[in-house]
Amino acid sequence: REVRNDWFITHNGVMNLVDYHGSFSADLNILGYDVYPMFCYEEETRPFKQSFNLDRVRSYSGNFIIPEHQSGPGGQAPYFHDNPRPGEIRNMTMTSIARGADSLLYFRWRTCRFGAEQYWCGIIDHDNIPRRRYEEVKSIGTEIMELEKSLEGTEVFSDCAVAAFDFDVRYAHEAYSLGLPAPEWIAEEIHITLSKRGFSCSCLHPDELLDSGVKLYILPHWTIVRPEWAVVFEEFVKRGGTLLVGARSGTRDINNNIVSMPLPGLLGELCSVTVTEYGKLNEKASFSADGALPLDWYETLELGKDARALMNWYGGYLDGLPALSIKTLGKGRVLYAASYLKGDFLKAVLKHMLPLLELSSYSEFADPETVDFVRRVGKNHEIQFFINRTDKIQKLNAVKEASELPPFGVLTRKLSF
């Protein structure tokens, strides 16, 4: 930049050992993210994981570009990806654009005949003859040219979000994981669970919470909580937001030392909760909450005067103790879950919490288990994406442009306001 200040600086990612939310991305004009959805070998899960990963990357520094986007099968010595089926490259591409990609390059043009990546296949095969993938990418190019002006200046809309990644939180977990799942794994499950119910869920770092416009924010087991985040969370709730805090949150300081105050540390007063005992569930629990077994971890809670139990433990020596608490503060509310937000326990928490909120679900348009719905919103318009996650025809409701989506089909429409 000192030599050529007019040059555009980016870097591809994302890698485990770089803090992309920190100074690294701040020094870039825009962050780049390499998108290879086929690394997920489970077809049913693949589109949900791609959506989560795109949202997670966007939480680092906002909209991004894609220097490498999968355009064919790929692999090396121990593996070889699935070959994208007809329409699947377009499906993956439009998913990336819908969730924050402002520019995109495919990897690669012609498949390489030599070197370490001879079977990372591109748009054209080794013999340089255009075939099915070439024709599909050609049509995608035409479609993007029609969309590009409308996409400028737009951002992804979400009314609920999960804290998906923080560099210090990740390595605090790795240092003292206790055999428990990483916070980003839980964030992914929360994101997928809410998406399958038709909610526009995103990923969001606490630093961006107050300007996000989201109504529900979930902090899944972040052992490190910075003092400034505690202030942000309180302001978010007072303004009318709902905060859900997962077990073990706030147990450590920025130096990865356990806090000297009662748990959950800096969040104790906000949640009006004191953790009096905790333990890891190395065997099946002898207690449940609404029939949902806690997984991996449990806590016993002492509630303050301004908090109440929304869900209790039943069975064993925890019988009757709070499993999920709630406190009203200002225009909003804060909840604390005494176990890990996964599996049936997560579903039980959502069953009690979601009826309290005014979240919009797009299930009126389509089945969210099979169709993704994403909005990119600008000052005077928005672009809506209806994306068929499956290789089967899926129905659309109350969408005048189409009544169904073909296998891996994508419908985009622009609405002005």
Side-chain angles (χ1 to χ4, degrees), residues 115-129:
E117 297 188 336
Q118 296 176 19
Y119 284 99
W120 276 98
C121 301
I123 298 168
I124 297 178
D125 293 320
H126 295 102
D127 56 14
N128 207 32
I129 298 175

Side-chain angles (χ1 to χ4, degrees), residues 86-151:
E88 202 163 7
I89 297 176
R90 176 174 178 253
N91 183 283
M92 294 186 295
T93 299
M94 299 309 286
T95 296
S96 296
I97 293 172
R99 293 189 176 270
D102 280 344
S103 182
L104 183 146
L105 292 170
Y106 287 110
F107 188 87
R108 58 183 57 182
W109 171 245
R110 181 181 178 183
T111 309
C112 187
R113 296 185 297 108
F114 47 82
E117 297 188 336
Q118 296 176 19
Y119 284 99
W120 276 98
C121 301
I123 298 168
I124 297 178
D125 293 320
H126 295 102
D127 56 14
N128 207 32
I129 298 175
R131 295 186 175 91
R132 173 176 65 84
R133 294 199 301 272
Y134 169 85
E135 294 300 330
E136 186 168 331
V137 170
K138 181 179 177 181
S139 66
I140 294 169
T142 301
E143 187 174 9
I144 291 177
M145 288 177 65
E146 296 174 353
L147 278 177
E148 61 178 349
K149 293 298 182 183
S150 299
L151 288 169

Side-chain angles (χ1 to χ4, degrees), residues 11 35 96 105 129-130 170 175 184 214 234 323 328 378 389 416:
H11 198 289
V35 175
S96 296
L105 292 170
I129 298 175
R170 164 180 273 181
E184 56 260 40
V214 302
E234 181 175 1
T328 300
R389 296 184 173 111
S416 299

Side-chain angles (χ1 to χ4, degrees), residues 184-206:
E184 56 260 40
W185 297 354
I186 302 298
E188 181 179 51
E189 181 168 349
I190 292 169
H191 186 281
I192 291 174
T193 300
L194 288 170
S195 296
K196 286 185 175 181
R197 296 183 179 211
F199 297 110
S200 296
C201 185
S202 186
C203 299
L204 195 64
H205 193 277

